[in-house]
Amino acid sequence: MKMTTENCSGNSEMTMDDVKKLIKKKDEIEEQIKAYYDVLEDGVGVEGPLVDEEGYPRADVNLYQIRTARHEISCLQNDHKAIMVEIEEALHKLHAREKAKQKQDQAEAQEEAMEQQVTLPPPFARVDAVTDGSPASGAGLRVGDEVIEFGSVNSANFQNLQNIASVVQHSEGKPLRVTVIRVGQKVQMNLTPQRWSGRGLLGCNIIPVQR
């Protein structure tokens, strides 16, 4: 029985399907070996003599069938050893590739986080209260959000809270782009200052961040 190793040898793109094919082939080899052993059990077995006491070929057994079975078992056992090595190497490749992928994913995630930390400007204000049902709440603003952009106000031109108040007063009914840092991630939203059942046009309280 001729073994093929094209799915495994030198192939770094081994998949679990390839491993399953190898295992199926291994099972088939084991079934063939068992079938040949069954043939031998009906005759003289694996080691039994093929000649009688006088040295003549035995006439009570099928010598050709026995020799063929013994030869095939020997070949199949070699094939079985070879495919077991293939399976072991394939599983090792899969494990190593999965481990490498996990390391790469972790490295990319860390790199992305570091890049974001470097590129994000420092916040100039922080949200310390948001009233349910308010425009701020509807826009998705949350307590603890650190503001880096509020309409035309940003980290570079912010001086005091009056800057934000002025933008809000001049933008009633118009959406303002608000950018905040939330749990280390940049989050953008549109906040429209407008009259509602509560006080003010936003329904939130913003305090400056000491820098």
Side-chain angles (χ1 to χ4, degrees):
M1 179 176 178
K2 186 178 178 182
M3 298 299 299
T4 58
T5 58
E6 58 186 2
N7 287 336
C8 187
S9 299
N11 188 351
S12 60
E13 295 303 317
M14 172 65 62
T15 66
M16 200 61 210
D17 284 340
D18 294 325
V19 175
K20 288 178 180 177
K21 288 177 183 176
L22 289 174
I23 292 173
K24 183 180 178 182
K25 193 179 293 184
K26 174 191 74 76
D27 293 340
E28 290 172 353
I29 292 173
E30 290 173 350
E31 287 178 7
Q32 288 177 327
I33 290 174
K34 183 179 181 303
Y36 282 120
Y37 269 118
D38 289 342
V39 170
L40 294 179
E41 285 177 3
D42 292 337
V44 295
V46 179
E47 302 293 338
L50 300 183
V51 295
D52 58 23
E53 294 178 354
E54 297 179 359
Y56 293 102
R58 290 177 57 173
D60 60 329
V61 293
N62 187 327
L63 295 179
Y64 175 78
Q65 189 179 51
I66 292 171
R67 287 195 181 102
T68 300
R70 287 180 176 179
H71 174 73
E72 290 297 331
I73 287 174
S74 178
C75 293
L76 287 167
Q77 285 175 336
N78 289 333
D79 290 343
H80 188 267
K81 289 178 183 177
I83 203 166
M84 288 301 291
V85 171
E86 284 190 59
I87 291 171
E88 184 178 353
E89 290 178 352
L91 290 172
H92 177 72
K93 281 184 180 180
L94 283 177
H95 177 71
R97 192 166 75 232
E98 183 62 28
K99 198 171 182 180
K101 184 178 182 301
Q102 288 177 355
K103 284 185 178 180
Q104 183 179 353
D105 290 345
Q106 290 175 353
E108 289 177 353
Q110 289 176 352
E111 185 178 350
E112 185 178 344
M114 289 177 66
E115 286 178 356
Q116 192 171 55
Q117 288 176 356
V118 171
T119 56
L120 287 177
F124 57 83
R126 181 169 58 83
V127 179
D128 73 342
V130 177
T131 304
D132 289 340
S134 66
S137 176
L141 208 60
R142 299 180 187 174
V143 173
D145 284 349
E146 297 179 311
V147 183
I148 58 176
E149 181 184 23
F150 198 104
S152 59
V153 182
N154 54 47
S155 299
N157 61 23
F158 174 78
Q159 295 176 333
N160 52 51
L161 291 178
Q162 186 57 43
N163 301 140
I164 295 177
S166 177
V167 169
V168 171
Q169 290 171 3
H170 289 87
S171 303
E172 185 174 351
K174 301 174 185 178
L176 292 171
R177 187 171 74 171
V178 178
T179 306
V180 302
I181 300 173
R182 179 182 298 162
V183 197
Q185 302 292 322
K186 184 167 72 171
V187 179
Q188 290 185 333
M189 64 198 77
N190 289 319
L191 172 56
T192 303
Q194 57 190 352
R195 301 291 173 182
W196 61 294
S197 58
R199 294 174 55 186
L201 298 175
L202 299 179
C204 66
N205 191 48
I206 299 175
I207 59 176
V209 171
Q210 298 299 325
R211 289 188 288 171

